Amino acid sequence: MQEIKPAAGNNSSWLEFSSYSDIQGAVLGVDEVGRGALFGPVVAAAVILPVEALSILMVENINDSKKLSSSRRTKLAEKITTLALDWRIGYATTAEIDELNILQATLLAMRRAIVKLRVKPALCLIDGNQLVKNLPIPQVSIVKGDERSLNIAAASIMAKVWRDDLLQRLALKYPLYDLERNKGYGSQRHLLALQQYGPSPLHRQSFRPCQIQH
């Protein structure tokens, strides 16, 4: 793949990987959420933003979705939905995580999100240091991509909101683990519940805190 350069005259760190002078076509951002959780799927979002949406989102301070309040993320997700040319969600199940390992399951979730897109992007920007295998689209992996690309930051928000909504519903089915608050991550109450009750069918058995015999 040819070297891809940021658009000339772009001094903003946000736009370093948000627009390009030599790319003709749509730019896709991909990010995941739930990689470090003990419960539930790993979820990825793929978001294609038009160039004119970048200036709108620049002022929204959307980097690092995990630091935003839930209500703020929801409002931003609604705005991204209206601005995006296309966006899709993909996920890998707990069973797939245990079978493949969390890295491969994460890449699988990303691929599933990407292949659902109806708009074909010219370039795919992926958060992290790994590329998605067998993807017929030029790719760039960007460490801390949600801090360097509005496309990736938007995907981070969409994935987070979608997974949090899922965990809210699953919390009703598995009330012992305080999932409504911890969203499947290893909070103190979650770890204590694992010790007391053992793992549920949706806990990741390949993760050490979930390997409790009862």
Side-chain angles (χ1 to χ4, degrees):
M1 177 180 166
Q2 65 178 356
E3 181 183 3
I4 299 174
K5 299 177 181 178
N10 235 327
N11 295 320
S12 169
S13 60
W14 263 121
L15 291 183
E16 179 182 355
F17 287 103
S18 289
S19 59
Y20 295 88
S21 59
D22 57 350
I23 291 296
Q24 299 296 319
V27 176
L28 167 67
V30 183
D31 202 1
E32 57 74 29
V33 67
R35 185 167 176 170
L38 305 178
F39 175 101
V42 59
V43 175
V47 177
I48 300 177
L49 294 173
V51 173
E52 55 268 24
L54 302 179
S55 59
I56 298 173
L57 293 175
M58 279 278 293
V59 300
E60 296 288 353
N61 193 29
I62 69 172
N63 57 322
D64 201 346
S65 66
K66 300 176 186 66
K67 294 181 180 179
L68 300 173
S69 68
S70 176
S71 60
R72 177 70 174 148
R73 279 195 301 268
T74 298
K75 289 180 180 178
L76 285 170
E78 292 171 354
K79 177 167 286 191
I80 292 165
T81 299
T82 63
L83 292 172
L85 294 174
D86 198 359
W87 70 275
R88 302 290 161 179
I89 293 290
Y91 64 88
T93 65
T94 301
E96 289 171 326
I97 292 168
D98 289 338
E99 178 183 355
L100 300 173
N101 74 46
I102 186 59
L103 172 59
Q104 295 306 317
T106 297
L107 295 174
L108 176 61
M110 289 180 169
R111 179 178 175 79
R112 286 172 171 168
I114 294 167
V115 299
K116 289 179 182 178
L117 292 165
R118 295 196 179 107
V119 177
K120 184 177 180 180
L123 176 67
C124 182
L125 307 181
I126 298 179
D127 185 59
N129 60 3
Q130 301 286 329
L131 297 178
V132 177
K133 295 179 181 178
N134 302 317
L135 194 67
I137 305 168
Q139 303 176 63
V140 176
S141 61
I142 305 174
V143 175
K144 296 185 178 180
D146 58 352
E147 299 176 6
R148 303 172 70 187
S149 163
L150 283 163
N151 305 75
I152 293 177
S156 174
I157 287 172
M158 300 304 285
K160 176 69 172 166
V161 169
W162 193 93
R163 189 178 186 278
D164 282 0
D165 287 347
L166 173 64
L167 266 291
Q168 289 288 106
R169 297 192 298 273
L170 290 175
L172 300 176
K173 186 174 181 179
Y174 300 99
L176 300 176
Y177 304 98
D178 197 34
L179 298 172
E180 184 176 357
R181 293 183 179 87
N182 61 52
K183 302 301 186 291
Y185 289 86
S187 68
Q188 185 176 8
R189 290 183 67 177
H190 193 174
L191 294 173
L192 288 173
L194 281 169
Q195 291 286 342
Q196 184 173 358
Y197 305 110
S200 75
L202 292 186
H203 276 91
R204 301 174 184 179
Q205 300 288 345
S206 56
F207 282 37
R208 188 177 298 276
C210 302
Q211 296 171 355
I212 299 171
Q213 299 298 320
H214 276 254

